[in-house]
Amino acid sequence: MRVFRGVKDLGDLDGALREAFEIKADRFKYHDLGRNKTALLIFFNNSLRTRLSTQKAAMNLGMNVIVLDVNQGAWKLETERGVVMDGDKSEHLLEAIPVMGCYCDVIGVRSFARFESREDDYNEKILNQFIQYSGRPVFFMESATVHPLQSFADLITIEEYKECKRPKVVMTWAPHPKALPQAVPNSFAEWMNAADVDFVITHPEGYELDPQFVGGARVEYDQMKAMEGADFVYAKNWSCPGVTRPEDYGKVLNMDRSWTVGARQMAVTNNARFMHCLPVRRNMIVTDEVIESPRSVVIPEAANREISATVVLKRMLESL
Ligand code: CP
């Protein structure tokens, strides 16, 4: 696997899940695979889980790891071609990327949506340059539009906790004071559409996700109706994707706290498991009561980030 950005990159999803559970049972099984190989993890944005779980995954495979926080200690990078670099940016991404590629065997990149241009974000302008110019396999550690390592971990968690063959999974928008990207809900929708689940998306009007990710999923604007009989509730905020009104891209249109997932919503579910990718703002996205309940699986979900990253890195090492 030379690029990991979406569910299709894994090929057979059942096979990938079997591999995940094999690794979960013995996470050092492939420890010799990464001997003398180096993973470079590049962060343009903050992280706790992705940073730690991906390092741990690389160590499970016997790899060396280098972590670069671009905004702390590296030269400030210009990303636009054709710019006269007479400002505060000392290095261009077009030199920096191939240089980074010289020091490693695989590259992971985190670069969030910038909300300056929907076109640039949805064309994955930064990540595509890493794919084009690094000369290395590249995996997405949350890009402008997708967060595949998270969604793979989410799917592993659903497989572990499901109590029926084809569970009902509801992804609900929830309020948040700041504009957040659509990467997590985009990927979650993409992965749930590929999995054997009954998938429903609920959000206020104006928050329609890009059709390439929604696919054939049912969209229900009445949150309480969507929640009925749910086996899993996946809460997430996202800012306006700008599908129906491009001028609203990246804006916060709604702060309605009646959408906060609490006892009222969970009461109409099938005793659902509660999921969130974390970090989460309590009593905005979800109440203390729900996230602390025995039905909350947010911690095992985060733990599965190590497993999803180990599978992905293993497959990249196998492609070298
Ligand atoms: N869920 C997730 O990606 O967490 P971090 O932003 O802390 O890496």
Side-chain angles (χ1 to χ4, degrees):
M1 187 165 62
R2 298 289 299 180
V3 174
F4 178 66
R5 81 185 109 203
V7 67
K8 289 192 178 79
D9 297 314
L10 286 182
D12 169 37
L13 194 51
D14 287 337
L17 282 168
R18 277 195 300 279
E19 205 170 308
F21 288 114
E22 177 198 39
I23 282 168
K24 189 149 185 174
D26 177 5
R27 59 199 69 200
F28 303 109
K29 185 167 181 179
Y30 299 98
H31 190 263
D32 292 340
L33 199 60
R35 190 164 171 270
N36 294 337
K37 298 283 188 263
T38 299
L40 173 58
L41 310 182
I42 301 167
F43 289 90
F44 287 84
N45 309 94
N46 295 341
S47 168
L48 187 150
R49 279 143 290 273
T50 305
R51 174 186 300 266
L52 297 181
S53 63
T54 313
Q55 287 187 66
K56 178 65 167 64
M59 291 189 280
N60 291 348
L61 295 162
M63 301 182 82
N64 303 309
V65 190
I66 304 172
V67 180
L68 176 66
D69 288 297
V70 173
N71 298 321
Q72 289 171 19
W75 300 111
K76 206 164 180 189
L77 292 173
E78 177 58 63
T79 57
E80 295 299 317
R81 198 165 169 278
V83 167
V84 177
M85 290 174 58
D86 59 356
D88 62 342
K89 293 174 181 166
S90 307
E91 178 152 26
H92 203 286
L93 201 57
L94 290 174
E95 283 79 55
I97 291 174
V99 168
M100 293 179 202
C102 294
Y103 307 137
C104 64
D105 299 283
V106 298
I107 300 184
V109 183
R110 165 164 286 201
S111 179
F112 290 173
R114 297 177 172 198
F115 295 137
E116 289 163 6
S117 152
R118 186 182 198 279
E119 193 185 345
D120 284 356
D121 287 343
Y122 271 73
N123 284 334
E124 292 292 1
K125 195 171 172 184
I126 302 295
L127 265 291
N128 278 331
Q129 291 189 73
F130 275 90
I131 293 167
Q132 195 173 351
Y133 299 117
S134 70
R136 303 294 176 204
V138 174
F139 61 99
F140 288 38
M141 298 196 301
E142 188 170 342
S143 69
T145 65
V146 290
H147 195 359
L149 287 168
Q150 180 66 51
S151 301
F152 189 14
D154 296 335
L155 179 58
I156 294 166
T157 309
I158 288 168
E159 281 297 307
E160 278 183 318
Y161 284 91
K162 73 181 186 185
E163 292 165 24
C164 64
K165 186 171 177 328
R166 193 166 186 273
K168 178 175 177 181
V169 178
V170 178
M171 177 169 75
T172 180
W173 178 93
H176 191 280
K178 290 169 66 177
L180 297 187
Q182 295 107 41
V184 169
N186 283 345
S187 276
F188 190 72
E190 178 193 335
W191 287 66
M192 287 304 106
N193 283 329
D196 189 17
V197 300
D198 173 16
F199 182 49
V200 180
I201 304 171
T202 183
H203 56 73
E205 288 191 34
Y207 280 91
E208 291 76 14
L209 293 167
D210 196 287
Q212 68 177 297
F213 298 107
V214 174
R218 180 157 72 89
V219 177
E220 170 59 63
Y221 292 108
D222 180 335
Q223 188 197 39
M224 291 302 289
K225 199 169 159 197
M227 292 285 184
E228 285 171 11
D231 298 297
F232 292 88
V233 170
Y234 193 96
K236 186 72 187 85
N237 171 269
W238 61 90
S239 62
C240 175
V243 169
T244 49
R245 284 172 49 90
E247 63 272 28
D248 285 344
Y249 174 60
K251 288 186 184 165
V252 174
L253 304 178
N254 190 327
M255 287 271 282
D256 181 357
R257 284 183 50 207
S258 73
W259 282 76
T260 301
V261 177
R264 182 173 64 91
Q265 286 87 346
M266 297 305 278
V268 300
T269 69
N270 184 26
N271 197 20
R273 299 283 185 178
F274 176 78
M275 300 180 72
H276 189 279
C277 62
L278 305 181
V280 69
R281 291 196 184 223
R282 284 178 175 222
N283 304 308
M284 286 297 298
I285 302 285
V286 57
T287 62
D288 291 321
E289 185 185 11
V290 169
I291 198 167
E292 291 172 4
S293 84
R295 302 302 287 176
S296 169
V297 291
V298 296
I299 304 304
E301 184 183 353
N304 280 331
R305 292 293 306 275
E306 176 189 345
I307 307 303
S308 63
T310 307
V311 174
V312 168
L313 280 171
K314 170 183 173 283
R315 291 191 174 199
M316 297 213 131
L317 286 169
E318 286 166 344
S319 77
L320 293 177

